[in-house]
């Protein structure tokens, strides 16, 4: 009799738990669908995953559409920035297996599982004991993996955990795709907005040109203005196209081995006139390095950094370009290129936004032309080569932009 009562309470409790879980799942799905901010979304997903599976932590890995790599996006209790560059290998990792098979997987004891990838734990000083990973699926496509880590009170993952986490993961995947699409449409809106300024200027010029009383010298000035606005439009549209290609992963790298110093000299020649107009001296130091990469795209990075170093420099300033070996990154040898200027510098606050689309520092945007895409494009190009780009700056003293590129293997 007592046993019956006990089992009734037990199963009653379990049913209640299940109902509570599904109620929470419905509530969180609604919240996810109304969140378009990707970072807020990721936070909500992992805290829901922890709560629904009664685990210590949860994490999300997403497939990078550009490289096909599986990247750590977020994990609970840890700073999301720390997970930034962690790539989980597709072959030989649990998450890779889940993506490739499109099925959930439970690992009861990671110490007994040869396929468990310990790289993340090592980096984040976290000890995974057991885990449940499920695919994040939208329209028959897996976009990543949601994992719940370390069940509380040494419990085991059960069927209900698998079902609930799988449901959460598909809701989450759709919400992530929506947020990405929204970001894309935001980009299109901003792009169109940017195109308006030169177009409005062109329209005003044509109206002026039609005035019969316009003196000849004014007419020539207006034509020059129209020419420069048209050039700006062309360069903006090619930036937009480049960025759209780089973001979607459609941009192909046309790789060759080439001498980096020679490319730097060639790029300096392109901007020499612009530098001379401001009496800016350009100096190049460092040895010869043979880089493996897309020469044309890397030239674009150099041209943008050099144009910035001129535009945001003072009259009679200097630009120092240096080349040095960089061994920081694993496996391969890299060369580090730095472009240092003696310009206005960038405040700490503004430095955080430097690689964001359309971001321009307010006090310099007023008197220089630009769209605020140069650095974003440069970052995409460098990262497509598995290199890194970063900056340091001191207000009133100047800024240095650094980037790394892989050296050709045989040199
Ligand atoms: N060397 C620098 N010194 C000071 N500020 C800089 C420097 N480089 C970039 N910036 C700041 O960062 C912003 C973004 O640079 P970015 O090259 O992305 O865009 P842009 O030069 O404004 O336009 P464009 O898309 O034509 O390159 C600039 O508007 C400027 O405010
Ligand atoms: Mg620029």
């Amino acid at each position: 009799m007592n046993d019956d009562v006990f089992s009734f309470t037990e199963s009653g409790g379990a049913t209640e738990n299940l109902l509570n879980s599904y109620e929470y799942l419905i509530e969180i799905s609604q919240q996810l669908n109304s969140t378009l901010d990707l970072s807020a979304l990721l936070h909500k997903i992992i805290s829901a995953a922890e709560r629904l599976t009664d685990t210590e932590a949860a994490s999300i890995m997403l497939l990078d559409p550009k490289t096909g790599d599986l990247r750590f996006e977020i994990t609970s209790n840890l700073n999301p920035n720390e997970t930034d560059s962690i790539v989980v290998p597709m072959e030989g990792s649990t998450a890779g297996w889940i993506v490739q098979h499109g099925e959930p997987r439970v690992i009861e004891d990671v110490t007994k599982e040869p396929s468990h990838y310990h790289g993340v734990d090592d980096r984040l000083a976290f000890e995974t004991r057991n885990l449940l990973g499920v695919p994040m699926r939208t329209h028959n496509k897996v976009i990543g993996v949601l994992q719940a880590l370390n069940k509380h009170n040494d419990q085991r993952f059960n069927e209900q955990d698998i079902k609930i986490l799988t449901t959460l993961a598909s809701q989450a995947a759709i919400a992530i795709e929506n947020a990405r699409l929204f970001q894309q449409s935001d980009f299109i809106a901003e792009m169109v907005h940017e195109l308006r300024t030169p177009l409005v200027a062109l329209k005003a010029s044509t109206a002026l040109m039609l005035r019969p009383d316009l003196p000849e010298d004014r007419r020539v000035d207006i034509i020059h203005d129209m020419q420069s606005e048209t050039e700006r439009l062309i360069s903006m549209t090619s930036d937009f196209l480049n960025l759209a290609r780089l973001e979607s992963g459609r941009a192909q790298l046309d790789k060759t081995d080439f001498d980096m110093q020679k490319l730097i000299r060639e790029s300096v020649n392109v901007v020499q006139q612009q530098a001379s107009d401001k009496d800016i001296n350009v100096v190049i130091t460092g040895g010869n390095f043979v880089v493996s990469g897309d020469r044309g795209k890397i030239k674009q990075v150099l041209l943008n950094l050099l144009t910035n170093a001129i535009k945001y420099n003072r009259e009679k300033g200097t630009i120092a370009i240096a080349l040095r070996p960089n061994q920081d990154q694993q496996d391969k040898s890299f060369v580090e290129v730095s472009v240092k200027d003696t310009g206005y510098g960038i405040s700490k606050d503004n430095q955080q936004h430097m690689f964001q689309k359309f971001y321009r520092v307010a006090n310099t945007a007023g008197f220089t032309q630009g769209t605020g895409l140069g650095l974003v494009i440069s970052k995409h190009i460098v990262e497509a080569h598995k290199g890194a780009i970063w900056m340091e700056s001191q207000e009133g003293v100047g800024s240095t932009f650094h980037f790394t590129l892989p050296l050709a293997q045989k040199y």
Side-chain angles (χ1 to χ4, degrees), residues 204-225:
S205 303
T206 49
L208 271 175
M209 291 286 284
L210 284 172
R211 281 169 58 162
D213 55 339
L214 194 72
E216 191 50 32
D217 53 345
R218 259 310 265 138
R219 193 179 299 272
V220 173
D221 282 349
I222 294 170
I223 292 175
H224 282 145
D225 288 349

Side-chain angles (χ1 to χ4, degrees), residues 185-204:
S185 67
D186 231 23
F187 173 51
I188 293 169
E190 274 187 86
M191 228 165 61
V192 173
H193 177 79
E194 289 292 323
L195 290 174
R196 272 185 68 83
T197 321
L199 283 173
V200 167
L202 275 171
K203 183 166 183 250

Side-chain angles (χ1 to χ4, degrees), residues 304 308 311-312 341 354 359-361 364 370-375:
N304 181 52
N308 284 353
K311 277 201 289 192
Y312 310 112
D341 65 53
M354 221 53 336
Y359 191 81
R360 306 197 71 214
V361 176
T364 47
T371 319
L373 290 181
L375 287 174

Side-chain angles (χ1 to χ4, degrees), residues 258-305:
F258 62 89
D259 180 6
M260 191 63 194
Q261 202 184 63
K262 198 163 162 227
L263 181 65
I264 292 177
R265 275 187 268 117
E266 206 177 291
S267 312
V268 170
N269 276 342
V270 178
V271 298
Q272 190 57 61
Q273 189 56 50
Q274 218 181 325
S276 306
D277 290 347
K278 268 179 102 166
D279 248 336
I280 290 170
N281 195 23
V282 187
V283 207
I284 307 170
T285 54
N288 289 332
F289 293 89
V290 181
V291 159
S292 156
D294 187 320
R295 200 173 187 276
K297 290 202 170 62
I298 294 167
K299 188 170 178 180
Q300 215 182 324
V301 174
L302 280 166
L303 285 177
N304 181 52
L305 294 185

